[in-house]
Amino acid sequence: MPDSALPSPLPPCVILCGPQMGQNIGACARAMKNCGLDDLRLVDPRDGWPNPAANAMAAHAQGIVEAAQVFDTLEAAIADLSYTYATTARARDQVKPVFTARGFAADARTRAVEGQKIGLLFGREREGLWNSEISLSSAMITVPLNPGNTSLNIGQAVLLVGYEWWTAQDQTADQRLETNEALPASQLMLDNFLGRLIEDLDERGFLAVPEKRDRMIRNIRNIFQRGGLTENEVNTLHGIVSFLKGQGGPR
Amino acid sequence: MPDSALPSPLPPCVILCGPQMGQNIGACARAMKNCGLDDLRLVDPRDGWPNPAANAMAAHAQGIVEAAQVFDTLEAAIADLSYTYATTARARDQVKPVFTARGFAADARTRAVEGQKIGLLFGREREGLWNSEISLSSAMITVPLNPGNTSLNIGQAVLLVGYEWWTAQDQTADQRLETNEALPASQLMLDNFLGRLIEDLDERGFLAVPEKRDRMIRNIRNIFQRGGLTENEVNTLHGIVSFLKGQGGPR
C-alpha cells in the first residue's frame, strides 16, 4: 500500500459515451467502487438521466450514480482533463499509443502523481467508441484477452481496467516523490488550440476537399493529442501558428 | 506469447458451487471464453440443468454451457484435479496459502506446466463458498480490491481471476521447460486417504466430541490439502497410518 504520508494521486474519471441500458451504467458504478474510482461522467445517455435502472443496479455504489455528471458532448466531458485513454476491443487505424490494461495503469499512475487529471473513455454496448471519439483521446487501451472472444460488456471493461489501476498501487509507490514542474495542458486548452488551427487551415484552403476534411482533422488532432502536452507547449504551438501566419509579434 | 512448439498447459476448470441464477452461469461462461478457459463444472445448481437462462446469457460461449458437467457434490466435481483454489472475498479462518489473483496465475501456471490439473472454486451469489467447501481446496484466492467494496458477482470474479491466468502467459514462458518427475495426487486419491484416516481416527475415539468433530476434520483436511501432495506422498501417508495402527507389513 502507498505511504499514507504522501498525497494519493487522483484516480481516473470514467466517461461513458452514449451509454444505453441504465443497468449497464449501474454495473459500471459498481465496478468503479470495487476499484476505488468515483468520478463518473455520462455523454448523451440514450434513456436520459437520472435513470432508475442505473440506481437499482448500482447497489453499494449508489453514491457514484447520484454524483454522475451528464454532458452533451465528449469534448465538454473531458474539457478539464489532461490525458485520456480510449478503450477499444481491437486496434483502430489511428496514430496513438496503445496500452494493455496493465501498461495503462503504470502510465496513468505516473501521470496522476505528477498532478495530471486522467480520463477513461468507454463506448456504446455494441459499437464501442466512434473514431471521432477516439481521436479526442490521448492514447488507447486494449485489454489482452482470448482472441477468440474479446467482447466485454461495459461493466466488465471498467472492472478490468479499474482493477489494474487499483493493483498498480504497490508498484508505483516509489514514483510518488517524482516531481514534474511543467503543468499539463487541459483538454480545453488543447481544443482551443486545435479549433484555432483548423480555422486557420480552413482559411488557407488546406482542408478544402470536403470528403477528406473530417479525416484530415482527425489525423491532425491525433498528432497533438497523444503528446501529453504541457501548457507551455500549447502556448508555443499558438505562437508557431501565429508566426507562420505572419501575425507574430513581440510576446 | 508462449512458444507454440511447446505444449500449452491445461487451463484451470471453473467449478461453481450451488449456483443460483441461470444468467450468472451464462455470464461465467462468457468470462471463461474471454480468458481461454473452457471446462465448466456445476455443483448442485439450484434451478436444475440444463437451464435456458444460462444459454441465453452465454452468447458466444454457448459451447461452454452445453459442455458443462453437473455434479451432486464438490468432492465428485474435483475428484480428478490435483490442485484447487477457492475464491473468497475475505480471508477465512482456515490454514491455507492465500494468493492474490496475480499470485494465483503464476503459481497455477507453474503447476499446469508440470501437468497438474487445476480447479477454481466459486461460491454462491450471496454467501460465497461454505467453510466445508473451502476446506476441500488446496489454497485460497482473494482478489485485491477497494476494501470499501470487495463484492463481485460470480461472472466478475471469474473474469478477474481468468484474466490474470490469461495475461500470465508471457511471464511463465520460461517455466515451460521445467519438469517435475513426481506425479501429483488427484483429489480422489487424497480424499480416499482422508476418508480412511477419519475412519481410523473415529475408531480410535479421536473425534469423539460431536460438537468439535466437523471442525477437527476440516483442520485435518487442511493440513494435507494445501501441500500439493504427489501420489508417492499419499501412498506414504497410507503407510504411515497403517503402521501407526499396527497394521503395517512388508510393502
Side-chain angles (χ1 to χ4, degrees), chain A:
Chain A
M1 295 297 289
D3 182 337
S4 57
L6 295 168
S8 286
L10 197 67
C13 328
V14 170
I15 301 116
L16 307 183
C17 294
Q20 295 164 14
M21 310 261 288
Q23 66 181 48
N24 290 340
I25 300 172
C28 288
R30 284 177 64 163
M32 287 172 66
K33 184 144 188 190
N34 285 139
C35 304
L37 311 181
D38 56 13
D39 185 344
L40 176 61
R41 303 176 180 197
L42 309 176
V43 179
D44 191 25
R46 184 190 67 185
D47 299 341
W49 197 258
N51 182 334
N55 292 70
M57 186 70 180
H60 300 297
Q62 289 277 355
I64 292 173
V65 169
E66 281 159 17
Q69 300 173 76
V70 180
F71 298 87
D72 290 334
T73 64
L74 177 56
E75 286 84 344
I78 63 177
D80 63 320
L81 307 181
S82 51
Y83 204 89
T84 53
Y85 302 82
T87 55
T88 67
R90 58 186 193 288
R92 304 288 188 102
D93 175 26
Q94 299 211 34
V95 183
K96 287 189 198 295
V98 181
F99 290 95
T100 62
R102 197 160 302 163
F104 142 75
D107 185 66
R109 285 209 167 257
T110 304
R111 292 179 188 280
V113 166
E114 289 167 357
Q116 296 190 41
K117 286 184 78 174
I118 307 290
L120 285 162
L121 314 187
F122 294 87
R124 288 150 202 82
E125 276 82 346
R126 289 180 192 280
E127 300 171 71
L129 288 165
W130 296 332
N131 280 330
S132 57
E133 292 166 336
I134 294 175
S135 81
L136 286 167
S137 70
S138 318
M140 293 187 277
I141 300 172
T142 300
V143 180
L145 289 168
N146 177 10
N149 182 25
T150 57
S151 77
L152 294 173
N153 65 40
I154 307 181
Q156 292 174 313
V158 170
L159 182 67
L160 286 179
V161 174
Y163 165 77
E164 288 287 3
W165 165 265
W166 179 264
T167 56
Q169 290 183 97
D170 288 337
Q171 286 87 34
T172 55
D174 290 343
Q175 297 179 8
R176 284 164 185 264
L177 288 170
E178 288 179 17
T179 55
N180 186 335
E181 295 292 315
L183 287 174
S186 69
Q187 182 71 31
L188 180 62
M189 192 174 174
L190 183 60
D191 275 353
N192 286 341
F193 166 70
L194 288 168
R196 177 259 169 115
L197 177 63
I198 290 161
E199 266 184 36
D200 287 345
L201 294 176
D202 270 332
E203 191 184 299
R204 302 288 165 121
F206 184 72
L207 303 170
V209 184
E211 60 273 25
K212 293 191 181 169
R213 189 169 184 278
D214 282 355
R215 188 173 180 86
M216 286 181 74
I217 289 175
R218 208 164 70 207
N219 290 346
I220 292 168
R221 177 179 278 285
N222 278 338
I223 293 168
F224 296 104
Q225 190 76 52
R226 71 177 184 272
L229 296 175
T230 66
E231 292 187 354
N232 283 344
E233 289 166 336
V234 175
N235 287 333
T236 301
L237 287 169
H238 274 290
I240 290 171
V241 173
S242 296
F243 273 76
L244 290 176
K245 287 184 66 190
Q247 295 164 345
R251 302 176 73 224

Side-chain angles (χ1 to χ4, degrees), chain B residues 239 242-243 246-251:
Chain B
S242 295
F243 273 77
Q247 294 165 346
R251 301 178 73 224

